[in-house]
Amino acid sequence: MKLKQILCCAVLSTGVAPAFAADSSDPIVIPIHNWSSQIVMSNVVGQLFEEMGSNVEFVTTDSQAVYESVRLGDVTLELEVWEGAFGASFREALSKGGLHDAGDHDAVTREDWWYPMWTKESCPGLPSWEALNDCAAVFATAETGDKGRYLDGPVDWLKHGAERAESLGLNFTVINAGSAAALWAEIGAAEADKKPVLVFNWTPNFAEAVWPGEFVEFPAWEDGCDIDPSKGPNPDALFDCGNPATGYLKKAAWDGMKDKWPTAYCMLGEVSFTNPQIAQMAKLVDTDEMEPEEAATEWLDANREVVEPWMSGCKS
Ligand code: TMO
């Protein structure tokens, strides 16, 4: 990608005009995180920007700190602002200024404690969270002693699983997975023996097509549950609510993007992916084992009718 860019810019500097002259030839900086749909979607949109004549650079960044980077213009945009995981960091950056809400995807999201359906045989009171303590022993491992094991997402997703367990009095040990792949490995390893497991999961994702399952139903999310102890059933604790069950998936942009790359900014506003489209992007990597860049090209080839109107609406 880098090399392509250098070739591209060298050509432009010899005097060949870009297709959409209004946009700066500086690269649009797109952040990449640690789950597959975000990486593939970022490549899809990056390839569209390139088709429209822009230069693109990808940087791997922390999924929370990225909002500060977008606010400062070091990174140009963010394509997957999940309400549950990143709502707090997004709102904080918004309040400081420098980045803005660039619109919602069509997708409705949910991120929470989850189990493959076979788990219910050992814990029939699920999906209610109140069943968890009665079943803690079936989730116990050598590592967790008589407590149940819950494998939470990687630390940077700030899922606050340990605070949730504490605030709701759950007899569970919360362990952070080192990567998304560790979550899928945990489910996969439990599958042959139909061993009960509890892991962090989300939708849209490839996993729903591979392992039918359910989210644990925690006390419903109330706005402020992460900052106001009075929200949720425990009056003295934060994080005593589930994540939003019908969460948003937003795009965010640096305020300077619309003047520096007006054509790309216009297209970013048009971009809107659905749940099945996002699950498919993840599948191409997590199930089909494609490289993200290649997965993005494949996805685009199969979905020209989805993306053409976004671009044609923005051609000057
Ligand atoms: C933000 N994530 C989809 C990984 O939960």
Side-chain angles (χ1 to χ4, degrees), residues 191-202:
E191 190 169 11
D193 300 337
K194 303 280 182 273
K195 204 167 87 52
V197 281
L198 206 52
V199 302
F200 178 71
N201 197 353
W202 60 88

Side-chain angles (χ1 to χ4, degrees), residues 294-305:
E294 189 197 345
T297 304
E298 165 129 343
W299 191 92
L300 272 174
D301 287 348
N303 290 277
R304 291 309 302 186
E305 79 293 353

Side-chain angles (χ1 to χ4, degrees), residues 46-279:
Q47 289 179 21
L48 291 176
F49 286 158
E50 287 179 331
E51 279 188 37
M52 299 180 82
S54 287
N55 295 311
V56 170
E57 182 179 310
F58 294 98
V59 292
T60 299
T61 81
D62 179 276
S63 62
Q64 304 287 345
V66 70
Y67 296 96
E68 184 67 9
S69 304
V70 175
R71 194 176 84 69
L72 299 173
D74 296 338
V75 164
T76 312
L77 54 87
E78 168 61 55
L79 284 160
E80 287 198 7
V81 187
W82 290 66
E83 181 173 6
F86 312 117
S89 293
F90 174 59
R91 285 189 295 272
E92 192 189 332
L94 266 182
S95 74
K96 292 183 182 165
L99 104 173
H100 60 275
D101 181 337
D104 286 14
H105 290 281
D106 175 82
V108 176
T109 65
R110 187 167 185 183
E111 309 156 70
D112 230 319
W113 299 35
W114 178 97
Y115 51 86
M117 211 52 100
W118 65 75
T119 295
K120 250 179 147 168
E121 287 159 29
S122 328
C123 188
L126 288 171
S128 169
W129 70 276
E130 289 172 293
L132 288 176
N133 274 347
D134 291 339
C135 306
V138 313
F139 296 105
T141 64
E143 193 185 5
T144 62
D146 57 4
K147 295 193 173 199
R149 168 183 166 90
Y150 168 60
L151 188 63
D152 207 349
V155 179
D156 69 299
W157 299 350
L158 291 183
K159 297 318 304 177
H160 300 289
E163 290 94 331
R164 172 95 57 91
E166 168 89 27
S167 67
L168 293 173
L170 296 175
N171 195 22
F172 275 74
T173 297
V174 176
I175 294 160
N176 285 106
S179 64
L183 299 169
W184 320 138
E186 180 105 344
I187 305 168
E191 190 169 11
D193 300 337
K194 303 280 182 273
K195 204 167 87 52
V197 281
L198 206 52
V199 302
F200 178 71
N201 197 353
W202 60 88
T203 184
N205 193 0
F206 81 98
E208 49 215 284
V210 181
W211 301 290
E214 289 176 338
F215 290 103
V216 175
E217 297 292 344
F218 282 100
W221 168 256
E222 293 176 52
D223 277 331
C225 194
D226 53 345
I227 49 174
D228 178 354
S230 75
K231 306 286 183 175
N234 182 338
D236 302 316
L238 302 178
F239 303 111
D240 50 337
C241 303
N243 284 303
T246 55
Y248 64 64
L249 185 68
K250 283 187 182 297
K251 303 159 287 176
W254 172 50
D255 286 351
M257 183 182 179
K258 58 179 169 307
D259 292 329
K260 189 164 181 184
W261 297 280
T263 304
Y265 180 77
C266 170
M267 213 273 292
L268 176 67
E270 298 296 312
V271 166
S272 172
F273 294 106
T274 65
N275 284 56
Q277 288 166 352
I278 294 168

